């Protein structure tokens, strides 16, 4: 429903005849309608032209203003032009105006005057009492004739009958909230007499207020989605860069493995060649010994041959004892060269190769994992929050530091006021601030401890009595027991295999993604993650320093400032 007006439009509303419209912007920062109004017809420019003095008007308006007079002047600054200017449409301004009309919804079909004969002029107002639409000149009586001044004028519309009560033929000035319909003054004396009716302007104002709120919500939804688009694009770009890096790293790892294989192959060949050379040296030594024995046996054979024909019987009998026994020789039955390579040699070489490959692969993977976790830690450390312990939740045997950053088990029960938020069985405490959206990260020093529990807990966890630590009971935690045992409390718990003993643990939560991850900050390694979780309540940082254990576990848990040094 258009707004009603019984007053003549003030010239100052859309631009005075003494000065051009101001170059102002509306609250949204966009150009306002006032900048594109002709100061003659007080409407948005149609075929704008620029006079020699620099002012703009509609082509038809300025021509009508000048008429047939050879001498013309500017309606705004009153500058006189001795020679009638030759006017041409300012195409640039026209394009800007057309763009503005499309953006502001002003490019609707023009409403023409109902009274004009011949070439109809553009309508300026519609009169609900007359049931007609008037141009500027035919609207003049409504500003001068006393009776007509009381008529209801609205911005020109084509469907004027929609603004008039069909039953009483009177302007629809009121809105019936009971029947949700427009009514005239006479309707309130009949069918709508007891109904809640208000002026259309009041109802429109209320609806505009509601629309404003809805628009604000819609704009916020648009901003949220635009932000999500930026986030997705950033994540996609980050994923692309990470994939490219992973590909590069994989190529580097396998290149290193190939080099290691080549080195191991060369080493195996070298060992085999050395074994072959050793076998050849052994064969040469055996042959040399055999040849020496053959030479000695041949000498003996010659002596025996000579003596078998001798006539010197005395000499034969004298040397006979030394010749009757065979010469001393080695036993060769168990001495030989194996024509095949020793299986043990091959196994040993292959074992060395496998060991070398494993070492190379482990080293390369450890390095890449460390680099990956380091990059991940740098990313999530930007979500660091300042965590302070909540004394109202602390078990009576927990001792907190004055700044709320340290906690330890004190062995004695403190006289503390009863509080429904306080743990009464588990020696635990929560952080003061809870989180119901977004991402957050904090770090805790666990140096010198033999027991501890760290993670997050939902607001509704049981604090009176001891619930098992698992997601079903509202806990997402990692625990350390017996000085050497780490477990992820997944229900059932998962035994974790860590290469080192963490001295500082980082805890990261992505509420929307349902992710809780734990990191060894100094070793830059991943400890454990809960994934695919569904969070519906506030999550609070959760701490349990473990029992003092006769001083063995007396070191405190310390919430450390995040240094972003990973």
């Amino acid at each position: 429903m258009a707004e009603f007006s019984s007053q003549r439009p003030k010239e100052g509303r859309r631009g005075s005849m003494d000065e051009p419209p101001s170059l102002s912007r509306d609250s949204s920062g966009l150009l306002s309608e006032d900048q594109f109004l002709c100061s003659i017809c007080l409407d948005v420019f149609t075929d704008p032209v620029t006079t020699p003095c620099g002012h703009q008007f509609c082509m038809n308006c300025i021509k009508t203003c000048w008429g047939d007079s050879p001498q013309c002047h500017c309606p705004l600054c009153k500058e006189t032009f001795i020679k009638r200017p030759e006017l041409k449409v300012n195409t640039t301004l026209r394009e800007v105006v057309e763009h503005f009309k499309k953006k502001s919804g002003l490019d609707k079909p023009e409403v023409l005057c109902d009274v004009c004969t011949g070439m109809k002029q553009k309508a300026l107002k519609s009169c609900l009492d007359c049931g007609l639409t008037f141009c500027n000149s035919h609207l003049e009586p409504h500003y001068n004739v006393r009776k007509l001044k009381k008529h209801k004028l609205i911005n020109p519309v084509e469907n004027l009958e929609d603004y008039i009560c069909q039953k009483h033929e009177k302007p629809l000035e009121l809105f019936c909230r009971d029947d949700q319909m427009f009514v005239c003054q006479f309707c309130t004396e009949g069918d709508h007499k007891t109904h809640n009716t208000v002026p259309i302007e009041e109802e429109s104002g209320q609806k505009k207020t509601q629309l404003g709120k809805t628009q604000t919500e819609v704009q916020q939804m648009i901003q949220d989605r635009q932000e999500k688009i930026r986030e997705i694009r950033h994540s996609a770009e980050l994923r692309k860069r990470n994939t490219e890096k992973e590909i590069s790293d994989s190529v580097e790892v396998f290149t290193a493995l190939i080099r290691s294989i080549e080195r191991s192959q060369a080493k195996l060949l070298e060992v085999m060649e050395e074994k072959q050379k050793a076998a050849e040296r052994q064969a040469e030594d055996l042959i040399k010994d055999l040849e020496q024995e053959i030479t000695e046996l041949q000498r003996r054979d010659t002596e025996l041959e000579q003596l078998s024909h001798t006539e010197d019987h005395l000499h034969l009998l004298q040397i006979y004892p030394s010749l009757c026994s065979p010469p001393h020789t080695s036993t060769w039955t168990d001495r030989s060269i194996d024509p095949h390579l020793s299986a043990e040699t091959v196994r040993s070489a292959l074992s060395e190769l496998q060991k070398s490959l494993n070492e190379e692969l482990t080293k390369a993977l450890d390095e890449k994992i460390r680099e990956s976790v380091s990059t991940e830690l740098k990313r999530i450390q930007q979500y660091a929050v300042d965590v302070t312990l909540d004394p109202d939740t602390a078990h009576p045997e927990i001792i907190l530091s004055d700044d709320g950053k340290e906690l330890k088990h004190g062995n004695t029960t403190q006289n503390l006021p009863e509080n429904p938020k306080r743990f009464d069985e588990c020696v635990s405490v929560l952080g003061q601030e809870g989180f119901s959206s977004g991402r957050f990260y904090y770090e805790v020093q666990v140096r010198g401890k033999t027991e501890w529990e760290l993670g997050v807990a939902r607001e509704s966890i049981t604090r009176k009595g001891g619930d098992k630590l698992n997601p079903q009971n509202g806990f997402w935690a990692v625990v350390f027991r017996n000085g050497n045992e780490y477990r992820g409390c997944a229900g059932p718990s998962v035994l974790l295999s860590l290469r080192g003993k963490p001295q500082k643990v980082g805890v990261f939560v992505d509420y929307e993604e349902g992710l809780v991850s734990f990191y060894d900050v100094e070793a830059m390694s991943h400890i454990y993650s809960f994934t695919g979780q569904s969070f519906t309540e506030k999550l609070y940082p959760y701490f349990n320093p473990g029992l003092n254990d006769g001083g063995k576990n007396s070191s405190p848990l310390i919430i450390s400032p995040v240094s972003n040094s990973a």
Side-chain angles (χ1 to χ4, degrees):
M1 176 66 71
E3 297 183 1
F4 290 97
S5 173
S6 60
Q7 302 295 323
R8 182 175 185 173
K10 297 181 180 179
E11 292 178 342
R13 175 181 175 272
R14 290 191 169 184
S16 167
M17 292 295 289
D18 297 323
E19 58 183 25
S22 61
L23 293 176
S24 61
R25 292 180 181 268
D26 59 22
S27 59
S28 66
L30 300 175
L31 293 173
S32 63
E33 182 181 349
D34 287 349
Q35 290 184 247
F36 303 106
L37 299 181
C38 171
S39 58
I40 298 176
C41 68
L42 303 181
D43 210 338
V44 178
F45 290 123
T46 300
D47 293 333
V49 297
T50 304
T51 58
C53 58
H55 295 128
Q56 288 83 27
F57 307 93
C58 297
M59 173 76 83
N60 190 54
C61 290
I62 192 66
K63 284 185 176 180
T64 302
C65 178
W66 287 348
D68 297 329
S69 174
Q71 193 177 46
C72 313
H73 68 275
C74 174
L76 280 174
C77 66
K78 308 305 180 184
E79 181 177 341
T80 301
F81 313 121
I82 299 176
K83 183 180 179 182
R84 187 186 181 102
E86 183 179 349
L87 300 175
K88 293 184 179 180
V89 174
N90 186 330
T91 55
T92 300
L93 179 57
R94 181 173 63 184
E95 290 176 2
V96 174
V97 171
E98 291 302 319
H99 179 72
F100 172 78
K101 285 182 178 180
K102 290 179 180 179
K103 288 292 185 181
S104 59
L106 296 177
D107 56 341
K108 297 177 181 179
E110 290 186 349
V111 179
L112 303 178
C113 178
D114 291 333
V115 183
C116 287
T117 58
M119 183 177 179
K120 291 184 175 292
Q121 298 296 313
K122 182 179 177 182
L124 185 62
K125 292 289 181 181
S126 293
C127 177
L128 295 179
D129 293 275
C130 299
L132 295 172
T133 298
F134 303 99
C135 64
N136 190 32
S137 59
H138 288 117
L139 186 64
E140 196 65 31
H142 281 76
Y143 301 140
N144 300 321
V145 179
R146 183 177 180 181
K147 183 179 180 180
L148 296 179
K149 286 182 178 181
K150 298 180 180 180
H151 286 192
K152 298 295 183 181
L153 300 177
I154 63 172
N155 290 330
V157 293
E158 287 186 335
N159 54 333
L160 188 56
E161 63 275 7
D162 292 343
Y163 297 80
I164 300 174
C165 178
Q166 299 301 308
K167 184 176 181 180
H168 302 105
E169 296 184 352
K170 293 296 181 182
L172 296 170
E173 303 176 90
L174 305 169
F175 182 77
C176 177
R177 289 177 172 170
D178 293 341
D179 294 335
Q180 291 292 298
M181 62 182 294
F182 303 107
V183 297
C184 70
Q185 189 64 45
F186 287 96
C187 293
T188 61
E189 298 173 3
D191 297 339
H192 300 268
K193 185 174 183 179
T194 60
H195 292 183
N196 180 15
T197 57
V198 295
I200 284 180
E201 291 84 355
E202 181 180 336
E203 184 68 16
S204 176
Q206 187 182 81
K207 290 295 190 290
K208 284 182 179 179
T209 300
Q210 293 174 352
L211 289 175
K213 293 179 181 178
T214 302
Q215 183 183 17
T216 300
E217 294 174 357
V218 170
Q219 289 174 346
Q220 184 60 48
M221 292 172 67
I222 292 172
Q223 291 177 7
D224 292 343
R225 281 150 181 78
Q226 289 174 337
E227 178 61 31
K228 192 64 177 180
I229 288 174
R230 287 191 290 269
E231 179 183 329
I232 291 172
R233 284 176 175 166
H234 175 70
S235 298
E237 180 61 29
L238 188 61
R239 175 63 179 268
K240 180 182 178 182
R241 291 200 297 268
N242 288 339
T243 299
E244 291 172 349
K245 185 177 185 302
E246 288 300 323
I247 292 173
S248 175
D249 290 346
S250 298
V251 171
E252 185 178 336
V253 168
F254 282 103
T255 301
L257 286 175
I258 291 172
R259 287 197 296 267
S260 177
I261 292 172
E262 291 173 345
R263 288 195 300 271
S264 298
Q265 182 186 33
K267 185 176 180 181
L268 176 60
L269 294 175
E270 181 181 347
V271 169
M272 295 173 70
E273 288 175 355
E274 288 179 356
K275 293 287 185 181
Q276 175 61 28
K277 290 179 180 179
E280 290 176 355
R281 287 194 298 270
Q282 182 185 9
E284 289 175 357
D285 291 342
L286 290 175
I287 291 171
K288 183 178 180 181
D289 290 343
L290 284 168
E291 287 176 343
Q292 287 178 352
E293 288 191 0
I294 289 171
T295 300
E296 180 62 26
L297 290 172
Q298 287 175 341
R299 185 184 64 78
R300 176 66 61 88
D301 180 62
T302 301
E303 289 181 354
L304 290 174
E305 177 65 24
Q306 292 173 351
L307 288 174
S308 65
H309 298 288
T310 184
E311 295 295 331
D312 187 351
H313 304 292
L314 179 62
H315 177 66
L316 173 64
L317 292 174
Q318 287 177 340
I319 64 174
Y320 177 80
S322 62
L323 296 176
C324 67
S325 60
H328 176 73
T329 58
S330 299
T331 302
W332 294 97
T333 55
D334 59 345
R335 300 180 67 180
S336 63
I337 299 298
D338 190 347
H340 303 289
L341 186 64
S342 170
E344 182 59 33
T345 300
V346 176
R347 280 196 297 270
S348 176
L350 290 177
S351 177
E352 287 295 323
L353 172 61
Q354 184 177 8
K355 180 180 178 182
S356 176
L357 287 176
N358 287 339
E359 289 176 352
E360 290 284 346
L361 181 59
T362 301
K363 181 180 178 182
L365 290 178
D366 283 350
E367 182 179 347
K368 296 309 172 186
I369 291 173
R370 183 181 174 89
E371 290 178 2
S372 178
V373 174
S374 175
T375 301
E376 180 71 7
L377 270 176
K378 288 179 181 179
R379 182 184 69 82
I380 65 178
Q381 281 178 332
Q382 66 180 307
Y383 301 106
V385 294
D386 184 16
V387 175
T388 302
L389 301 169
D390 184 359
D392 290 339
T393 67
H395 184 279
E397 293 179 9
I398 292 290
I399 298 176
L400 303 181
S401 62
D402 292 339
D403 63 358
K405 300 294 184 181
E406 299 183 20
L407 69 154
K408 63 181 179 179
H409 181 239
N411 268 336
T412 58
T413 302
Q414 304 173 81
N415 185 19
L416 299 176
E418 175 57 30
N419 193 310
K421 297 196 300 181
R422 191 181 306 284
F423 289 94
D424 68 350
E425 184 168 327
C426 297
V427 287
S428 305
V429 62
L430 298 179
Q432 283 190 337
E433 184 180 1
F435 303 86
S436 57
S437 64
R439 304 178 178 96
F440 64 93
Y441 172 82
Y442 64 93
E443 294 178 351
V444 183
Q445 180 179 304
V446 296
R447 193 183 310 275
K449 303 289 292 176
T450 59
E451 287 189 12
W452 50 257
E453 298 173 1
L454 290 175
V456 293
R458 66 180 177 222
E459 190 170 22
S460 63
I461 56 170
T462 299
R463 311 184 190 201
K464 308 304 179 184
D467 263 351
K468 289 185 177 180
L469 297 183
N470 57 51
Q472 292 75 19
N473 293 330
F475 296 89
W476 292 266
V478 165
V479 301
F480 176 51
R481 296 281 187 269
N482 307 319
N484 61 3
E485 182 180 298
Y486 297 89
R487 288 186 177 272
C489 301
S493 64
V494 179
L495 182 63
L496 306 178
S497 177
L498 306 184
R499 295 199 172 183
K501 187 175 182 180
Q503 304 299 306
K504 184 183 291 186
V505 176
V507 183
F508 172 68
V509 177
D510 188 325
Y511 195 97
E512 281 73 23
E513 291 295 326
L515 173 68
V516 182
S517 292
F518 300 82
Y519 296 89
D520 181 339
V521 178
E522 294 181 357
M524 290 181 288
S525 61
H526 175 254
I527 296 175
Y528 186 72
S529 284
F530 295 89
T531 60
Q533 306 298 304
S534 179
F535 303 131
T536 57
E537 301 179 25
K538 274 189 176 182
L539 298 179
Y540 290 82
Y542 170 79
F543 309 84
N544 183 324
L547 300 179
N548 183 278
D549 192 20
K552 295 179 182 178
N553 191 37
S554 60
S555 297
L557 290 177
I558 304 174
I559 301 171
S560 306
V562 177
S563 62
N564 214 357
S565 60

